[in-house]
Amino acid sequence: MKAMTKFFSLLLVLCVLGSCVLFTACSDKPEEPEEPSVPAKEADPETTVQVEGGQIAGYSEDGLYIYKGIPFMAQPVGELRWQDPRPAEAWEGVKDCVEFGANFYQPKSAVGEPYTAEFLIDNDLGISEEGISMNIWAPADLSEAKEVLVYIHGGALMSGSGSIEIYSGEELAKQGIVCVTFNYRLGNFGKFACTELSARSDSGGSGNYSLKDCVAALEWVQENISAFGGDPDKVTIMGQSAGAGLVSMLCVSPKAEGLFRGAVISSGNSLATASLPTLEEMEKIGDERMNGKTLDELLALSAREVSLLSFSGVESYCIDGVYLTEASAEMLRSGKWNDVTILTGYVSGDISLSGGSVPSTKEDYETQVRELFGEECLSAYPSEGTEDYAAQFEEIYRDAQIAKLNYIAQLAAEGGSEKDVYIWFFTHVIPGPQADKLGCFHTADIPYFMNIFSAEREGYWTQADYDVGAMMAGYLVNFVKTGDPNGKDINGEDLTAWQPCEQADNYLFVAEESEMRSLTDAQTQFWTDYYKEGGNILF
């Protein structure tokens, strides 16, 4: 089990990095946005709407009203650096919201395998503690209220932005839904807790600031999205990698109750988390990390100085009694979570990030399986009858992920939930100069879900990619509209019927075409016992 724990610790670290893997150093102070390389859009008076704080205007394009850089909460600077979100300061007149706001403070991005520019923040937007804003793509037709998708970006809670190209809501909004992205606090700004901070907190606790900002964004959507033609009663949230972790926490946060009706969780489902540190444990760690400094001294530090503080040992989330009251597994088991319909899955590259050895002989295969999963696993995945031990070893990891998601559905059912859980496993390889080497890497499913085919890979896209995009975007739009992914793709073609998961661990296998698959009875029984007996939960 030690080897397994080490394996999955490394896997988790690598996987949650999301779309920003390589970084360059931050400057001594927050960077201001550079001059844009293309002229800014002109605000269209026809798009003017009233929101909390004042009036804003966006621009119109391709049948959409588009708004960028909307202030949905006060910028967390000065005394607000580590405080619960506050309402944005009101403004006079009409605020032009036609350009993305700055990225929240983080290292600048640098292109590197496998992530090309469309997966990374735009450095030209600058990085700043005043980098909290929201973006909305809405159909210009306001004749009836439309369903809403709120996308939460990934990046290990250290990097990323709602302005990254692959998160654009433009193409999905053309299918008749309202799409929202936003920025939240990252790194040391998003998780620091200490005794003195908790004493000053409005909610009585510190930490969880990334999660708190997500709740603030969803509350803003509830109060304001109708101005953009959205229906506040029909909100779905979606996140990938670290964003998937945030979606998972929102599913169990009492503060998020009633703010959404569906959740899409990609490459990072945390709903089976068995434990989280308490606020007191986090405060103790935070007090030690202050190294004798007072809170006021920390608040006086520059953003760069805060980003360089060593907060090692500080977890991303804690049980603060307000935003999180119990670990997610217990919340599901007891029926106290925000019971919603779930669409969740992984990509094939999520199981190949460890760099661990792959068995090539029968002896190596049996030794590794016993060490990682126990003797019983060999009954479900016997070495007899196979000649490709590496492929069967990979199959075990894939099935472990599928079964873990099915286990989440079982936990929810134990708590009385009657909501469906739909599972996918995505294997289509995104094209590029080294596609054969890179395979279906972490985050490679998102361009297909969002139907975004960047010019960064111009010359590589094929009709197969466009077809997979029409399929995945179709499933997603259907889910946002009805809570059921089934129906037509965005081109009007019939989709493969996607059945919600059952005891047989059934899931949608996505390649150039999709099909329903399931585990054998022996495999299903093994994983059911494995997780119920406290086996390691995959990321």
Side-chain angles (χ1 to χ4, degrees):
M1 291 300 277
K2 287 184 179 178
M4 184 175 182
T5 302
K6 181 178 179 181
F7 178 93
F8 286 121
S9 295
L10 177 58
L11 182 64
L12 177 60
V13 168
L14 289 169
C15 281
V16 298
L17 288 180
S19 61
C20 291
V21 175
L22 299 178
F23 304 122
T24 57
C26 293
S27 60
D28 288 338
K29 61 182 180 179
E31 295 189 358
E32 296 299 326
E34 299 178 7
E35 289 295 321
S37 57
V38 295
K41 298 287 186 179
E42 292 287 339
D44 183 348
E46 188 175 303
T47 67
T48 302
V49 295
Q50 178 72 41
V51 298
E52 182 181 291
Q55 290 185 310
I56 63 172
Y59 63 94
S60 53
E61 187 173 88
D62 295 334
L64 303 178
Y65 287 168
I66 301 172
Y67 306 81
K68 298 176 179 179
I70 303 169
F72 71 90
M73 59 176 265
Q75 297 295 347
V77 295
E79 292 292 327
L80 300 184
R81 173 175 279 168
W82 290 298
Q83 283 292 334
D84 295 351
R86 308 286 176 85
E89 186 176 344
W91 59 90
E92 295 183 359
V94 179
K95 179 184 290 292
D96 288 350
C97 291
V98 296
E99 297 180 83
F100 288 121
N103 304 297
F104 190 80
Y105 198 87
Q106 62 191 281
K108 294 174 68 176
S109 66
V111 173
E113 293 182 358
Y115 301 109
T116 43
E118 74 270 35
F119 290 88
L120 306 174
I121 65 169
D122 181 352
N123 291 327
D124 289 344
L125 294 174
I127 53 174
S128 173
E129 254 192 292
E130 297 188 48
I132 303 293
S133 63
M134 180 178 288
N135 317 295
I136 297 176
W137 293 260
D141 176 14
L142 303 178
S143 60
E144 58 182 22
K146 296 173 176 63
E147 298 81 7
V148 181
L149 174 66
V150 178
Y151 189 95
I152 303 174
H153 72 76
L157 299 180
M158 295 172 59
S159 63
S161 172
S163 60
I164 288 174
E165 183 181 354
I166 62 165
Y167 304 148
S168 171
E170 180 177 355
E171 293 304 316
L172 296 189
K174 290 177 182 177
Q175 303 303 314
I177 64 174
V178 177
C179 292
V180 179
T181 67
F182 63 95
N183 296 352
Y184 53 86
R185 279 174 278 186
L186 300 168
N188 290 339
F189 304 94
K191 62 182 182 179
F192 179 55
C194 70
T195 305
E196 194 173 353
L197 259 181
S198 294
R200 297 188 190 185
S201 168
D202 293 337
S203 61
S206 53
N208 290 333
Y209 297 113
S210 298
L211 175 62
K212 292 175 179 181
D213 292 352
C214 291
V215 172
L218 291 175
E219 289 174 338
W220 191 96
V221 166
Q222 285 294 309
E223 294 298 322
N224 298 278
I225 204 65
S226 59
F228 303 87
D231 187 340
D233 293 327
K234 297 179 180 178
V235 174
T236 297
I237 59 175
M238 177 178 182
Q240 184 266 353
S241 196
L246 283 163
V247 170
S248 300
M249 295 301 102
L250 289 165
C251 284
V252 299
S253 173
K255 293 287 284 185
E257 182 179 5
L259 299 182
F260 58 97
R261 67 172 185 174
V264 183
I265 308 175
S266 177
S267 297
N269 195 314
S270 300
L271 287 176
T273 299
S275 64
L276 285 173
T278 65
L279 175 60
E280 291 74 19
E281 291 170 334
M282 292 283 279
E283 288 172 339
K284 182 179 180 181
I285 294 172
D287 290 344
E288 293 171 352
R289 297 296 182 270
M290 292 172 72
N291 292 322
K293 285 185 169 61
T294 67
L295 178 57
D296 287 334
E297 288 174 324
L298 290 182
L299 292 173
L301 296 177
S302 70
R304 180 176 184 272
E305 289 170 324
V306 171
S307 72
L308 296 175
L309 291 174
S310 175
F311 286 164
S312 59
V314 177
E315 299 289 339
S316 299
Y317 310 106
C318 66
I319 303 298
D320 62 8
V322 177
Y323 282 81
L324 294 174
T325 55
E326 290 182 273
S328 54
E330 184 54 36
M331 292 289 282
L332 265 65
R333 186 181 288 111
S334 63
K336 293 185 289 187
W337 68 300
N338 301 321
D339 189 8
V340 296
T341 307
I342 293 174
L343 199 70
T344 186
Y346 291 97
V347 305
S348 55
D350 289 334
I351 65 173
S352 60
L353 295 174
S354 71
S357 61
V358 176
S360 58
T361 67
K362 179 176 184 290
E363 182 180 5
D364 286 346
Y365 172 81
E366 291 182 348
T367 298
Q368 289 196 52
V369 170
R370 285 191 185 98
E371 182 178 354
L372 294 171
F373 296 100
E375 183 71 34
E376 296 82 2
C377 188
L378 288 171
S379 298
Y381 299 89
S383 56
E384 291 76 16
T386 183
E387 296 180 357
D388 191 340
Y389 298 106
Q392 182 149 315
F393 196 65
E394 184 172 302
E395 179 185 347
I396 292 174
Y397 283 110
R398 181 199 67 205
D399 291 355
Q401 292 173 313
I402 298 303
K404 174 243 184 168
L405 299 177
N406 188 72
Y407 175 67
I408 287 170
Q410 292 179 43
L411 287 175
E414 275 186 54
S417 175
E418 297 181 355
K419 301 289 178 62
D420 287 327
V421 175
Y422 298 89
I423 298 172
W424 81 78
F425 190 76
F426 188 92
T427 68
H428 180 72
V429 175
I430 191 169
Q434 301 189 69
D436 291 343
K437 170 187 173 183
L438 299 175
C440 181
F441 56 83
H442 187 62
T443 321
D445 55 334
I446 300 305
Y448 297 97
F449 270 117
M450 307 304 284
N451 203 40
I452 298 295
F453 297 99
S454 174
E456 293 291 332
R457 294 173 187 267
E458 188 174 359
Y460 291 101
W461 300 115
T462 68
Q463 187 58 49
D465 295 296
Y466 302 134
D467 291 344
V468 173
M471 172 175 62
M472 299 310 290
Y475 281 127
L476 177 56
V477 169
N478 293 339
F479 184 74
V480 172
K481 287 185 174 182
T482 69
D484 184 333
N486 290 294
K488 306 282 187 181
D489 70 14
I490 63 173
N491 293 328
E493 300 295 325
D494 289 335
L495 288 165
T496 298
W498 190 345
Q499 304 160 15
C501 72
E502 300 168 348
Q503 191 64 29
D505 290 344
N506 53 313
Y507 62 98
L508 186 76
F509 183 88
V510 181
E512 290 190 9
E513 296 183 358
S514 59
E515 64 180 14
M516 289 300 302
R517 293 187 179 182
S518 60
L519 278 59
T520 67
D521 290 344
Q523 292 165 349
T524 295
Q525 188 60 55
F526 166 72
W527 291 116
T528 297
D529 295 341
Y530 177 82
Y531 286 121
K532 283 187 175 180
E533 292 170 6
N536 272 296
I537 303 299
L538 299 179
F539 72 98

